[in-house]
Amino acid sequence: MANSVSQDAISTILANPSPDSSSDLPEIIVQVLDLKLTGNRYTFNASDGKMKLRAIFPSNMSSDIMTGSVQNKGLVKILDYTLNDIPNKSEKYLIVTKCEVVSSALETEIKTGEPDIVLKKPKLEHEVKNEANTDFAGIVLKPKQEMVSKSAAQIVHEQRENMAPLARMSMTRRVHPLVSLNPYQGNWTIKVRLTSKGTMRTYKNARGEGCVFNVELTDEDGTQIQATMFNEAARKFYEKFQLGKVYYISRGTLKVANKQFKTVKNDYEMTLNDNSMVEEASEEETFIPETKFNFVPIDQLGPYVNGRELVDIIGVVQSVTAVSNIKRKIDNENIPKRDMIVADETKKTVVVSLWNELANNVGQELFDLADKSPIVAIKSLKVSDFQGVSLSTLGKSTVMINPDVSEAKKLRSWYDSEGKGSSMANIGMGLSPSRSGARSMYTDRVSLSDITGNQSLGDEKPAFFSIKAFVSLIRPEQAMWYRGCKTCNKKVTEAIGSGYWCEGCQKNDEECNLRYIMVSKISDPRGEAWVSAFNEEAEKIVGCSAEELDKLKSELGDIDGYQQKLKEATWIPHLFRVSVTQNEYNNEKRQRITVRAVAPIDFAEESRYLLEDIKKMRGSH
């Protein structure tokens, strides 16, 4: 029947709660009723006209529902599913893992339980012949052929008997799609590709010391989940899990994902223990879900600064430094680090810091290829406000050089034709003072006395605040700049003979840049404080580059002009984003306040901020 449900569709589902992919199930078409959004999934009642069953659509169907392809009272054909028990209830619910739309919304709900619609028990042949002689003589009815009912298990058993041994082995496991998993399921097996692998980390807590690492798994539908392994399981599976390989995994547990730490779009996260089964799918056909990227243009990184959300970027490598070792404060361990500058079509650049194995392995490869300006795609980067905006890799970050993706081809074409000769600017110089950013100039606004009056600020980790203040003093006698490498901006020394030696890049250069490292006093109505400002921020305060100021002082010998330039920079209001840390000097802790971003006053935005502040003050009385 066109635009109708399958007879006894719900009974068929209930009789086959977990069908094998090769099971000879009849066509299952149901009507969608009571369609609604529950959490971030769409739920509905699946109806065959007689019975109803609570059901849930897969997350990849959400777009079809929002665009109207799947509608309430419409019909869908269920191609694959899993039937689960509802905890603490005798009911079951249907998790649809694959389906297709049969019909848009019908005018009414289909009901086959009414007397004129219900399909009666098949009649005997002589009864059909007798009825044919009545008013319906023009209609020839044929009795339904008697069928022997077989269970799904019986059908699978018969199929296996006729198969070769290898084919029988391929049918021994029921593979569940990731979208169908939930914490209330019993046994399940998934077939996934390892698309991200973190480094082994150690930890120490009240229960002792241990180790842990995370992986990201992707199935053939593109659904992802994060899996975590601790201690024995971590040591057991760390070497077994290899990036890019396909595995069968079972005997894991699921729980609701911690939003603070989750890095994939899944409501649940997986834990594998020492009893979990991980088997490489080396002898079978494997799917190849590519690493999924969600690229953020460099000029749009601002709202992610110091936030929990990780980002993916793609860009052209401009330069790469030699590897260096950073001593970690908590255990004095030397951690390898390598910085590179990356640019994209927005004509903005950003510094990306590669840590640990990435600094030594893929970092060295990028260092060797730097002169050829390779394309690099990086997944899962943390955005910080160091130098305005900067990026750092984590244990789970993935770096791909010259990836075979459309965005890389487009970027290469742009760079070769236009970008190579374009002027690039660091993203940290373009921070907007609007409220749209996650950490804007109007977030965490405090007065200077709030900072200087609390000497414990920044003791354990840097604290960040926004301030509206004036620069009240810039000492002209201070060493306001240093000679920096033109590639990595690190301090250089005069080389033997001529030129300048950069320890970071391990090379000589005939020229260098002068870069600000300036200390100034800032004041607001409630207090004052000394702050440090680096090159980009100091340029905005002084109004010229360090090269220009040095020329005024040294080459022209205009000391009065030099001092006048610094004086002109004072008593101008600015919006500052600052960090507060604790430095130890002569066994005494002192606050260090560093300017991370500077912006001029937007008087319209400032007025709105003050009006909102007044409303809050009135509401508190």
Side-chain angles (χ1 to χ4, degrees):
M1 180 188 295
N3 289 350
S4 185
V5 295
S6 301
Q7 179 183 353
D8 298 327
I10 302 302
S11 296
T12 301
I13 292 171
L14 294 173
N16 299 274
S18 186
D20 191 89
S21 57
S22 62
S23 294
D24 188 17
L25 291 176
E27 183 178 69
I28 300 176
I29 297 177
V30 296
Q31 186 176 25
V32 177
L33 300 176
D34 303 320
L35 179 64
K36 62 183 178 181
L37 182 63
T38 304
N40 62 352
R41 298 276 192 90
Y42 283 91
T43 60
F44 67 103
N45 281 328
S47 172
D48 64 2
K50 290 182 182 180
M51 301 172 64
K52 294 179 182 178
L53 185 62
R54 291 175 62 182
I56 184 169
F57 277 120
S59 55
N60 58 9
M61 291 287 291
S62 297
S63 58
D64 294 326
I65 297 169
M66 289 186 286
T67 57
S69 298
V70 177
Q71 299 177 350
N72 194 46
K73 295 185 181 179
L75 302 180
V76 295
K77 181 191 290 186
I78 299 176
L79 303 175
D80 196 11
Y81 64 88
T82 298
L83 195 65
N84 284 349
D85 294 317
I86 298 179
N88 303 321
K89 293 185 179 181
S90 58
E91 301 176 60
K92 294 180 179 291
Y93 68 94
L94 173 69
I95 299 179
V96 179
T97 54
K98 191 175 182 181
C99 67
E100 61 184 35
V101 179
V102 174
S103 168
S104 56
L106 306 180
E107 293 184 4
T108 60
E109 176 184 344
I110 296 176
K111 294 183 179 180
T112 59
E114 298 173 7
D116 57 336
I117 300 177
V118 68
L119 299 178
K120 302 287 186 180
K121 176 182 172 182
K123 297 182 184 255
L124 298 176
E125 187 175 354
H126 71 273
E127 292 176 320
V128 174
K129 289 181 179 178
N130 290 339
E131 289 187 2
N133 295 325
T134 63
D135 296 336
F136 304 98
I139 302 176
V140 179
L141 300 178
K142 294 184 179 180
K144 182 178 178 181
Q145 293 183 357
E146 186 175 352
M147 297 181 65
V148 178
S149 178
K150 296 181 181 180
S151 68
Q154 287 176 313
I155 295 170
V156 171
H157 178 74
E158 291 178 1
Q159 291 174 339
R160 287 177 179 171
E161 291 301 315
N162 298 321
M163 286 183 176
L166 286 177
R168 286 201 296 268
M169 287 177 64
S170 67
M171 291 185 61
T172 57
R173 64 180 108 214
R174 155 74 171 167
V175 174
H176 288 69
L178 287 177
V179 72
S180 72
L181 301 186
N182 65 73
Y184 310 110
Q185 275 179 278
N187 296 326
W188 46 258
T189 300
I190 57 174
K191 184 179 180 182
V192 289
R193 184 179 294 276
L194 189 75
T195 49
S196 178
K197 178 183 177 181
T199 56
M200 182 78 80
R201 308 187 308 277
T202 58
Y203 64 89
K204 183 184 295 185
N205 57 28
R207 291 178 291 181
E209 299 181 357
C211 57
V212 59
F213 84 101
N214 305 91
V215 295
E216 286 180 12
L217 309 170
T218 308
D219 68 8
E220 60 183 337
D221 295 326
T223 305
Q224 293 182 297
I225 195 168
Q226 178 176 293
T228 304
M229 285 139 282
F230 293 91
N231 301 322
E232 289 302 320
R235 287 185 281 270
K236 177 179 178 180
F237 295 123
Y238 186 76
E239 295 299 331
K240 188 176 186 68
F241 274 128
Q242 298 296 320
L243 196 64
K245 291 189 176 182
V246 178
Y247 298 90
Y248 288 106
I249 299 175
S250 58
R251 299 185 188 174
T253 58
L254 282 92
K255 64 179 181 180
V256 176
N258 186 332
K259 293 182 180 180
Q260 182 176 353
F261 302 110
K262 77 171 187 175
T263 56
V264 298
K265 293 182 179 179
N266 199 312
D267 294 337
Y268 304 113
E269 60 186 7
M270 184 182 298
T271 301
L272 300 180
N273 56 43
D274 194 30
N275 295 321
S276 299
M277 300 294 293
V278 177
E279 177 187 345
E280 184 180 343
S282 55
E283 302 298 327
E284 303 179 38
E285 181 181 355
T286 58
F287 61 93
I288 310 177
E290 298 294 336
T291 300
K292 285 192 170 184
F293 290 98
N294 185 21
F295 294 122
V296 176
I298 292 177
D299 69 346
Q300 295 178 24
L301 290 172
Y304 298 91
V305 171
N306 295 329
R308 292 175 178 172
E309 188 172 356
L310 305 181
V311 301
D312 307 339
I313 68 158
I314 186 169
V316 183
V317 176
Q318 303 288 283
S319 64
V320 184
T321 68
V323 69
S324 60
N325 288 309
I326 305 298
K327 184 169 289 188
R328 192 161 54 188
K329 291 183 180 179
I330 58 173
D331 56 8
N332 288 326
E333 183 181 352
N334 286 322
I335 308 298
K337 178 194 175 189
R338 191 189 300 264
D339 290 336
M340 64 179 177
I341 297 176
V342 176
D344 68 4
E345 290 174 280
T346 64
K347 297 184 180 179
K348 296 290 185 182
T349 64
V350 67
V351 176
V352 181
S353 297
L354 305 176
W355 294 88
N356 295 304
E357 293 178 5
L358 289 176
N360 290 325
N361 300 333
V362 71
Q364 183 61 45
E365 187 176 351
L366 286 167
F367 183 80
D368 296 337
L369 293 172
D371 293 340
K372 299 179 181 178
S373 302
I375 304 293
V376 63
I378 311 178
K379 185 173 181 63
S380 300
L381 288 164
K382 183 172 179 58
V383 189
S384 71
D385 63 358
F386 181 68
Q387 297 181 346
V389 177
S390 63
L391 303 172
S392 293
T393 60
L394 304 173
K396 63 184 300 304
S397 300
T398 303
V399 181
M400 297 178 66
I401 302 174
N402 294 322
D404 186 17
V405 295
S406 59
E407 293 89 346
K409 296 173 183 176
K410 181 182 176 184
L411 190 60
R412 171 56 65 194
S413 176
W414 167 80
Y415 187 76
D416 291 342
S417 62
E418 176 188 349
K420 189 182 297 183
S422 298
S423 175
M424 305 284 184
N426 185 280
I427 176 59
M429 299 176 63
L431 283 180
S432 170
S434 72
R435 298 192 192 192
S436 59
R439 289 292 184 269
S440 74
M441 297 297 185
Y442 294 91
T443 306
D444 309 324
R445 175 76 75 87
V446 299
S447 65
L448 283 170
S449 61
D450 293 324
I451 296 176
T452 57
N454 186 353
Q455 291 299 312
S456 64
L457 280 176
D459 192 13
E460 295 183 356
K461 62 180 182 179
F464 297 88
F465 302 99
S466 295
I467 299 168
K468 178 190 173 186
F470 298 84
V471 176
S472 53
L473 176 64
I474 304 175
R475 288 176 175 166
E477 68 274 13
Q478 67 176 299
M480 292 186 58
W481 49 75
Y482 69 95
R483 298 186 184 278
C485 174
K486 295 176 72 70
T487 301
C488 69
N489 298 328
K490 291 185 177 181
K491 188 176 181 179
V492 297
T493 56
E494 291 189 13
I496 299 174
S498 64
Y500 301 92
W501 170 256
C502 176
E503 189 67 27
C505 295
Q506 293 287 301
K507 66 176 183 179
N508 265 343
D509 205 327
E510 290 300 318
E511 297 180 345
C512 65
N513 289 331
L514 294 185
R515 296 181 60 81
Y516 281 116
I517 179 168
M518 183 179 77
V519 176
S520 60
K521 182 189 286 186
I522 63 173
S523 305
D524 71 3
R526 294 187 179 182
E528 58 186 18
W530 290 97
V531 299
S532 300
F534 295 99
N535 194 61
E536 286 78 10
E537 292 73 32
E539 282 185 355
K540 293 178 183 178
I541 294 172
V542 178
C544 67
S545 68
E547 300 273 1
E548 293 170 316
L549 202 58
D550 177 65
K551 185 176 181 181
L552 191 66
K553 179 182 179 181
S554 303
E555 295 184 20
L556 301 179
D558 188 359
I559 300 298
D560 291 338
Y562 165 75
Q563 293 181 348
Q564 181 62 28
K565 187 69 177 176
L566 296 182
K567 188 174 181 180
E568 289 174 356
T570 60
W571 301 112
I572 297 174
H574 296 282
L575 294 176
F576 297 97
R577 184 74 181 166
V578 301
S579 66
V580 183
T581 57
Q582 294 283 339
N583 280 6
E584 193 167 312
Y585 182 74
N586 287 337
N587 294 322
E588 180 184 347
K589 284 190 175 182
R590 295 182 180 180
Q591 271 188 347
R592 179 186 174 98
I593 305 174
T594 305
V595 177
R596 298 300 185 181
V598 182
I601 301 292
D602 182 334
F603 290 100
E605 191 68 27
E606 185 71 14
S607 298
R608 282 191 286 269
Y609 171 80
L610 292 174
L611 286 170
E612 287 185 14
D613 217 21
I614 291 170
K615 286 181 182 178
K616 291 178 183 177
M617 293 171 65
R618 284 179 175 175
S620 63
H621 293 292

